[in-house]
Amino acid sequence: MVNEKQLLRYDALQEIANIGGGHAATSLSKMIGKRVGMDVPFLRLLPYDEVFAGIQSDETVVRAVLSEVVGQEYGVFLFVIPLDESDKLAELLLPEEVAIDFELANSAIKELSNILVQSFLQAVMQMINKPLIASLPSLTVDLFGSILSSVYMEQYQFSDEIFIMKNKFYSMGHVIEGSLYFVPKPTVLEKLLDELGI
């Protein structure tokens, strides 16, 4: 049964996601010169071992963009989208007359991830009044399970709990989904919620 504190936690994270989504949609629209809508229909806090069963199969080939929050002991963001969907999203982000190859698609997805992460951090900063900066994004193409597990192996001090936002992008009649994962350092989410007064 969900208690009052859990509901407050969820409401606070949902508010941050909504604000960040609004910032991201505005930035994307300006970047590509056409209207982009974005919402966050799915937001969860899940243990690591439940992600593959409930969110994304570990055997799915994905483009994943990693950005680390620097200057603070917060954690790592992963923007993840299945490879076939990421090609469609790259087409949405780039001018119609541009011939999209693998490297150009990678560049477009990295830029989108950077916008999403920076928008999320901006929303958090508005609420806690502290500067937060993410590293330059790096992209890899691999099985989702391999990517997520490597984050844990390389950064073994990370918390078991993962914050997940599914993002839906709407433009020109297209709907494309991607997911932004935040893998926090231990106690980071609790500290953040404490700073929000929850």
Side-chain angles (χ1 to χ4, degrees):
M1 185 173 181
V2 178
N3 60 38
E4 184 177 356
K5 183 174 182 180
Q6 288 174 318
L7 286 173
L8 289 172
R9 277 167 48 113
Y10 179 84
D11 287 345
L13 294 172
Q14 185 70 62
E15 180 65 16
I16 292 170
N18 290 340
I19 293 171
H23 291 326
T26 299
S27 297
L28 277 173
S29 297
K30 289 179 179 178
M31 182 182 81
I32 67 177
K34 54 189 175 186
R35 187 177 181 278
V36 176
M38 196 189 90
D39 62 21
V40 184
F42 181 100
L43 186 151
R44 295 287 188 277
L45 282 168
L46 285 179
Y48 169 81
D49 57 3
E50 292 184 19
V51 173
F52 303 124
I55 308 298
Q56 183 77 264
S57 167
D58 59 346
E59 296 296 321
T60 304
V61 179
V62 299
R63 273 187 171 100
V65 184
L66 185 148
S67 302
E68 186 171 3
V69 182
V70 298
Q72 297 281 349
E73 291 295 307
Y74 280 109
V76 165
F77 285 96
L78 279 174
F79 177 65
V80 175
I81 183 167
L83 191 58
D84 56 347
E85 285 290 294
S86 65
D87 289 336
K88 296 175 187 176
L89 188 53
E91 291 175 5
L92 179 67
L93 298 172
L94 295 165
E96 292 182 5
E97 64 272 15
V98 173
I100 301 175
D101 59 19
F102 188 76
E103 291 303 319
L104 190 56
N106 283 352
S107 179
I109 297 302
K110 281 171 66 176
E111 183 58 30
L112 171 60
S113 176
N114 189 50
I115 288 172
L116 290 174
V117 170
Q118 297 296 345
S119 297
F120 181 82
L121 291 180
Q122 185 180 351
V124 174
M125 286 190 289
Q126 282 182 219
M127 300 181 79
I128 68 173
N129 197 29
K130 286 186 177 180
L132 298 171
I133 302 171
S135 65
L136 291 175
S138 61
L139 183 145
T140 187
V141 177
D142 203 341
L143 297 176
F144 175 62
S146 298
I147 293 169
L148 191 59
S149 63
S150 69
V151 169
Y152 276 81
M153 285 189 292
E154 292 169 10
Q155 305 286 345
Y156 58 89
Q157 72 273 33
F158 279 3
S159 169
D160 183 55
E161 198 170 40
I162 301 176
F163 177 47
I164 305 160
M165 294 183 290
K166 275 192 175 293
N167 305 279
K168 276 190 176 179
F169 305 91
Y170 306 87
S171 184
M172 311 292 286
H174 300 287
V175 181
I176 299 172
E177 289 190 5
S179 297
L180 185 66
Y181 295 75
F182 178 59
V183 186
K185 297 283 182 71
T187 73
V188 162
L189 288 175
E190 291 302 326
K191 287 179 181 177
L192 174 59
L193 292 165
D194 285 344
E195 290 175 344
L196 293 172
I198 298 172

